[in-house]
Amino acid sequence: MKPILIKNILQLTPQSQTVKVSGWVRTFRNNQFISLNDGSTIKNLQIVVDFQNFPEELLKKIHTGTSITVTGKLVPSLGKGQTHEVVAEALDIIGECSPEEYPLQPKKHSLEFLREIAHLRMRTTTFQSVFKVRSGLAFAIHQYFQQHGFVYIHSPIITASDAEGAGELFQVTTLNLNNIPKTETGEVDFSEDFFGKPANLTVSGQLEAELAAMAFSKVYTFGPTFRAENSNTPRHLAEFWMIEPEMAFYELPDNMDLAEDMLKYLIQYAFNNFPDELEFLQQRQSEEEKQKPQNERSSMPLLEKLNFCIKESFERLTYTQAIDILENSSYNKKKKFQFPVQWGMDLQTEHERYLVEKEFNKPVILTDYPKAIKAFYMRQNDDDKTVRAMDILFPGIGEIIGGSQREERLDKLEQRMKEMRISAKDMYWYLDTRRFGTVPHSGFGLGFERLVQFVTGMSNIRDVIPFPRTPKNCEF
RNA sequence: UCCUCAGUAGCUCAGCCGGUUAGAGCACAUGACUGUUAAUCAUGGGGUCGCAGGUUCGAGCCCUGCCUGAGGAGCCA
């Protein structure tokens, strides 16, 4: 007889049928009730042990974390708090778990502590909820794009280009760091390195996605990206996953429509498929926020916030309009902004938060930023001052998506690259897309962990990826 | 990288103006109880006060440096 997943057992009508289950003990109460979890659901199965019929030696080995297999009769629970329970007839201990050494206790642990034991934290309801939602969202992303005619492209993890200039790079090398080969002029001789030139981990799959979009019309990438920036914030990781769709024949409004529709689909998917997990996470978040001062709490509970984002259309405005709003805000007149508002500057976190949380109180799409603060590949507007960029700002998270319509005109692109000192020679393959059958096209990048943060309500990004990589932290 | 705060038992924390043998709850062990829901009750064990210096008759507490963590900022997704 094979063990049945707890998820499936809880769907059976209990009528004293014999079932077998395996899992890990969460708590053992009253020398009589085992709360068993196997990860198939965040719900636990209550096992009732008649302590008079089992040897004391066996029962003494049952602690939080012990793995067991139980065979018994499935009956309606006599107690409150659960619908089903299994009256144990046979109980085998698979793996013991010393209660003196096992760090997880049947009590609340701080997220900081659990982060230090990331190899064990998945055994908590919080992290099971988060990672189930994460898994579901990853699946939903593929489902969404596959249903909409997109081709999944695997962009390379190791690249030799730093075209985007998006942050510091992780260098990839097989050179002996204790004996680095040098050229006659004393520089590192990369001709001896594995690729014969400097290589690094990718910071974005966008440029490769653009190449593919010129063949398949609609493509997306979904893979890990790496930034060696020394950023220590609850919103940044050195290794994170990014979704980057790229669409030929799409202009900026089409790009915005797609991004908004996709985000709503993903949130709706989580809503439909993980009600128990989201319910639990909402509970967790509201308890966490009881510790915070009133003005730092979320304006609405998690499920309400998600529902709100699905129903409301995102506010769309240009960078210039946003600056106008900020300049004329009472906030600005009372000089509450630390950074003065001025056309041409990059919006600071406080400005973005004002727009999203005070002015509109819903997701905001900002477009047409000054070209000086955006990447070389963004399509230039006729005003010669702005580019067809778009950023989607979410409450609590900030920028969740950054995208643009790409510059498809070869001369304009080359001119911009010259201005920004980007080598046209190294980027010949990218420029070829504009030489051979160029078309208007657009795309964006979605930070997967930031999406998971938003949907789960977790305040620190290190708690939505199983093994976070951050400066000075590469454990497990 | 910058600013702020924190580091005391396995966990969460208290520790007064620098003064005797550093405390609590939970966890753990032992016993009692046995339809519990982080069970309950009683008893007990458990400390390199982050690390290294310094000031002082005396430092968990004051000073300096470093390490680690958190929050904010910058960079961004």
Side-chain angles (χ1 to χ4, degrees):
Chain A
M1 191 178 182
K2 275 192 176 174
I4 313 174
L5 290 177
I6 289 174
K7 180 185 170 186
N8 297 331
I9 286 185
L10 293 177
Q11 281 164 1
L12 298 173
T13 307
Q15 43 196 0
S16 295
Q17 65 269 53
T18 299
V19 294
K20 186 176 176 183
V21 270
S22 296
W24 292 267
V25 174
R26 282 290 172 80
T27 61
F28 185 28
R29 288 184 295 268
N30 218 7
N31 203 22
Q32 217 179 157
F33 303 101
I34 296 170
S35 196
L36 193 72
N37 183 278
D38 69 356
S40 62
T41 160
I42 58 168
K43 289 180 180 166
N44 301 325
L45 179 65
Q46 173 151 290
I47 309 292
V48 184
V49 183
D50 183 351
F51 55 88
Q52 283 163 344
N53 293 340
F54 286 88
E56 203 181 325
E57 280 311 297
L58 181 81
L59 298 183
K60 279 197 168 169
K61 289 179 183 169
I62 300 174
H63 300 103
T64 300
T66 305
S67 52
I68 60 172
T69 294
V70 174
T71 310
K73 295 232 184 305
L74 183 66
V75 298
S77 180
L78 297 177
K80 289 172 185 167
Q82 61 278 316
T83 51
H84 298 55
E85 64 188 26
V86 171
V87 180
E89 287 165 354
L91 192 156
D92 291 315
I93 289 176
I94 311 296
E96 292 185 37
C97 185
S98 162
E100 282 175 47
E101 292 171 53
Y102 190 57
L104 293 175
Q105 299 161 16
K107 67 166 230 175
K108 223 173 213 75
H109 290 292
S110 68
L111 294 173
E112 289 84 0
F113 172 66
L114 292 171
R115 227 170 270 153
E116 289 169 15
I117 50 166
H119 57 306
L120 299 173
R121 67 177 177 170
M122 297 182 199
R123 303 183 183 196
T124 65
T125 311
T126 297
F127 285 96
Q128 281 191 352
S129 301
V130 169
F131 295 135
K132 274 167 173 281
V133 171
R134 180 184 169 107
S135 161
L137 284 171
F139 176 76
I141 283 160
H142 284 293
Q143 184 163 273
Y144 179 84
F145 285 119
Q146 297 285 340
Q147 280 173 358
H148 286 78
F150 284 70
V151 176
Y152 179 34
I153 297 293
H154 288 119
S155 52
I157 308 264
I158 301 173
T159 73
S161 70
D162 171 29
E164 214 186 339
E168 298 289 314
L169 305 170
F170 280 104
Q171 190 162 358
V172 175
T173 182
T174 54
L175 292 177
N176 181 353
L177 296 182
N178 292 316
N179 184 18
I180 299 172
K182 298 277 175 71
T183 61
E184 284 170 14
T185 53
E187 318 222 290
V188 177
D189 185 3
F190 282 104
S191 70
E192 303 237 337
D193 204 351
F194 188 88
F195 297 106
K197 56 180 173 179
N200 51 267
L201 295 177
T202 184
V203 294
S204 162
Q206 181 200 316
L207 300 186
E208 286 87 358
E210 280 190 58
L211 311 181
M214 295 302 119
F216 298 102
S217 287
K218 297 202 284 186
V219 302
Y220 70 106
T221 73
F222 183 13
T225 40
F226 308 87
R227 307 268 168 99
E229 283 288 334
N230 189 11
S231 20
N232 293 286
T233 85
R235 299 183 304 281
H236 291 85
L237 291 165
E239 177 182 291
F240 64 100
W241 288 63
M242 194 149 62
I243 297 105
E244 293 176 291
E246 193 71 36
M247 298 75 63
F249 314 108
Y250 267 52
E251 302 200 2
L252 196 64
D254 309 313
N255 201 19
M256 287 192 272
D257 290 345
L258 177 77
E260 183 170 342
D261 187 57
M262 179 200 67
L263 285 171
K264 286 177 171 172
Y265 175 89
L266 296 176
I267 295 168
Q268 183 72 57
Y269 183 92
F271 221 85
N272 295 346
N273 290 278
F274 299 96
D276 295 341
E277 286 80 2
L278 293 178
E279 181 79 35
F280 178 86
L281 289 165
Q282 169 169 277
Q283 194 71 32
R284 193 210 64 81
Q285 188 188 46
S286 79
E287 270 167 40
E288 179 187 271
E289 293 196 339
K290 279 179 193 162
Q291 322 277 332
K292 292 184 181 173
Q294 198 81 39
N295 60 341
E296 284 175 31
R297 296 183 194 170
S298 323
S299 52
M300 49 182 100
L302 183 61
L303 289 167
E304 200 180 316
K305 180 189 77 176
L306 296 179
N307 205 17
F308 181 81
C309 280
I310 296 168
K311 285 194 180 136
E312 293 285 321
S313 41
F314 297 2
E315 191 70 32
R316 299 182 186 192
L317 67 163
T318 65
Y319 167 90
T320 304
Q321 288 168 327
I323 290 288
D324 259 14
I325 288 172
L326 290 168
E327 275 182 334
N328 294 319
S329 67
S330 59
Y331 241 62
N332 190 41
K333 286 172 182 159
K334 288 180 193 158
K335 298 202 188 313
K336 279 197 187 171
F337 288 128
Q338 198 189 334
F339 295 88
V341 181
Q342 197 185 352
W343 198 97
M345 63 153 201
D346 211 348
L347 293 179
Q348 304 293 315
T349 302
E350 57 173 350
H351 304 133
E352 295 182 349
R353 288 194 66 161
Y354 178 86
L355 289 170
V356 175
E357 289 160 29
K358 295 268 185 317
E359 181 74 21
F360 297 112
N361 198 28
K362 59 173 166 174
V364 172
I365 312 183
L366 288 181
T367 61
D368 301 285
Y369 282 73
K371 67 175 178 182
I373 58 172
K374 288 291 180 185
F376 76 94
Y377 49 72
M378 296 189 180
R379 193 180 198 278
Q380 297 169 56
N381 281 319
D382 295 337
D383 62 10
D384 204 33
K385 292 194 310 203
T386 58
V387 289
R388 309 235 75 192
M390 67 162 201
D391 283 1
I392 301 188
L393 310 177
F394 262 36
I397 309 287
E399 186 179 342
I400 197 169
I401 278 181
S404 67
Q405 182 174 338
R406 320 305 190 191
E407 182 56 80
E408 85 280 11
R409 297 163 296 187
L410 182 63
D411 54 329
K412 294 269 185 191
L413 185 60
E414 283 178 329
Q415 177 207 327
R416 194 76 190 120
M417 285 171 73
K418 201 174 281 176
E419 286 167 13
M420 296 177 81
R421 291 164 190 259
I422 293 163
S423 161
K425 195 178 155 217
D426 292 349
M427 296 284 290
Y428 74 94
W429 47 273
Y430 184 69
L431 291 168
D432 270 0
T433 55
R434 277 65 170 176
R435 285 194 191 101
F436 308 128
T438 191
V439 297
H441 62 290
S442 303
F444 60 82
L446 166 67
F448 184 52
E449 282 75 17
R450 289 192 183 168
L451 174 72
V452 180
Q453 255 191 294
F454 181 75
V455 173
T456 60
M458 298 300 284
S459 50
N460 194 312
I461 201 166
R462 294 162 195 153
D463 297 328
V464 300
I465 186 166
F467 302 103
R469 268 72 178 104
T470 52
K472 302 268 147 58
N473 186 352
C474 195
E475 196 68 30
F476 312 109

